[in-house]
Amino acid sequence: MQLSPSELILNADNSIYHLNLLPEDIANTIITVGDPDRVASVSKYFDTIEVKKGKREFYTHTGTLNGKRITVISTGIGTDNIDIVLNELDALVNIDFKTRSVKTHKTSLDIIRIGTSGAIQPEIPIDSFLVSEYAIGFDNLLHFYDSEHIQYHDMQNAFTAHTNWFSHKSTPYIVKADDSLLKKIISDNIQVGFTATNVGFYGPQGRQVRLKTQDTNLNTKLSSFAYNNLKITNLEMETSGIYGLSKLLGHKAVSLNCILANRSTGDFSKNPSKAVDLLIKDTLHKLTA
């Protein structure tokens, strides 16, 4: 079936609409970062850089490190942007732009998020690294797709009961990282966690600057939730969307978090740039060793 111009939107140079990329511009290993400035913080460690492109908040560098081709792309903040980035990355490898049709043989990408996050358990140290085994999304993105089969419904129901979840908020969904990528990333210096993906930075993460939140005890409820020895460890804004769409599209995904804040203790990193740089170098080593 040929995709119409309104469904698969291409630019005048035949690049994908938002990312401004051609199929040959990306590698099969993709590192995503939220901050556009962090793209260069990753690619500065590449041996070579062959592609540098940018449009809006989406900046992309593709190069090689130790003989392995890698792409690093900024997503901006939030799962609304993840919806754009994941679908367009998939289109770059699994849709023929000339015929505007889905390819018979699909390509599976390895997608690795390197991001920052705030812990909600007091024992998680500042500047430590955490890999998300599971993610719970409060963002509603996955409910727009046929996704019931990849969700963990028993855990979701236990969570909504524990938190007395407000009915006007999006129904939380839980998804899991790719096991093979998780095994590649796990090491003694990385804690395995259960990440909550929020729809905002302030109220949705329990911050009260001038506005009162609907549930002033939400973070306490999040940190006290437990299911089969799983506890929610940290808060951020992209992981659930990355995990959900990757699994639906046949890609592998894992999310790495540099813990810059601990919400339960009120502490914040004294040198966040150094901590994130250490996570970048550790991840690149594991991907190319």
Side-chain angles (χ1 to χ4, degrees):
M1 182 183 72
Q2 190 178 61
L3 295 165
S4 70
S6 66
E7 301 302 295
L8 175 67
I9 306 173
L10 302 178
N11 298 313
D13 64 351
N14 225 36
S15 62
I16 196 71
Y17 185 57
H18 295 92
L19 302 186
N20 198 36
L21 296 172
L22 297 165
E24 61 265 28
D25 290 335
I26 66 167
N28 285 354
T29 297
I30 311 281
I31 293 173
T32 70
V33 295
D35 184 355
D37 290 338
R38 197 172 294 148
V39 172
S41 297
V42 176
S43 67
K44 70 181 181 181
Y45 293 111
F46 292 179
D47 298 323
T48 63
I49 299 176
E50 63 189 80
V51 174
K52 284 187 176 183
K53 289 188 176 181
K55 184 180 179 183
R56 306 187 190 192
E57 60 267 61
F58 309 115
Y59 284 79
T60 303
H61 291 179
T62 296
T64 58
L65 177 61
N66 297 335
K68 184 179 181 66
R69 195 164 184 253
I70 300 173
T71 292
V72 55
I73 183 169
S74 60
T75 63
I77 298 175
T79 55
D80 51 345
N81 278 13
I82 293 302
D83 184 56
I84 291 172
V85 173
L86 265 291
N87 276 289
E88 294 196 359
L89 286 174
D90 179 76
L92 286 166
V93 295
N94 287 320
I95 294 178
D96 186 322
F97 285 6
K98 291 181 180 179
T99 64
R100 307 183 69 88
S101 59
V102 177
K103 295 178 180 178
T104 303
H105 300 289
K106 306 298 189 298
T107 296
S108 178
L109 300 171
D110 286 350
I111 299 169
I112 302 95
R113 172 187 176 269
I114 299 178
T116 58
S117 185
I120 59 171
Q121 301 295 345
E123 69 274 11
I124 299 177
I126 296 296
D127 296 335
S128 64
F129 305 152
L130 183 147
V131 60
S132 308
E133 181 180 16
Y134 291 90
I136 181 167
F138 306 146
D139 54 280
N140 207 36
L141 172 62
L142 218 59
H143 297 311
F144 284 91
Y145 294 94
D146 180 11
S147 63
E148 292 287 311
H149 58 290
I150 67 166
Q151 298 178 35
Y152 289 78
H153 297 282
D154 289 345
M155 203 185 322
Q156 291 165 193
N157 293 336
F159 173 82
T160 55
H162 173 82
T163 56
N164 191 25
W165 194 253
F166 187 46
S167 62
H168 291 295
K169 293 177 181 174
S170 302
T171 303
Y173 63 88
I174 295 174
V175 283
K176 193 182 181 189
D178 177 76
D179 288 330
S180 62
L181 275 185
L182 200 61
K183 289 177 183 176
K184 182 179 288 189
I185 293 299
I186 288 176
S187 61
D188 291 340
N189 67 332
I190 295 188
Q191 177 174 339
V192 178
F194 180 7
T195 296
T197 295
N198 302 79
V199 295
F201 185 76
Y202 288 95
Q205 294 192 31
R207 291 183 172 92
Q208 299 188 75
V209 180
R210 285 211 318 119
L211 296 176
K212 184 180 178 181
T213 57
Q214 177 271 327
D215 186 347
T216 57
N217 295 315
L218 180 58
N219 281 3
T220 300
K221 293 177 181 178
L222 296 182
S223 62
S224 61
F225 173 68
Y227 186 89
N228 290 346
N229 296 319
L230 285 172
K231 282 190 171 184
I232 297 175
T233 49
N234 62 304
L235 312 176
E236 52 74 78
M237 296 177 63
E238 288 90 34
T239 297
S240 65
I242 293 173
Y243 282 8
L245 291 185
S246 293
K247 201 166 287 286
L248 290 175
L249 290 165
H251 305 300
K252 301 173 182 177
V254 70
S255 176
L256 297 166
N257 305 269
C258 185
I259 303 298
L260 297 185
N262 191 303
R263 301 295 302 285
S264 62
T265 65
D267 295 327
F268 191 83
S269 173
K270 292 181 171 58
N271 196 338
S273 296
K274 180 181 178 182
V276 173
D277 187 60
L278 288 172
L279 178 57
I280 290 170
K281 288 191 286 188
D282 183 73
T283 304
L284 288 173
H285 173 74
K286 287 172 179 172
L287 293 177
T288 62

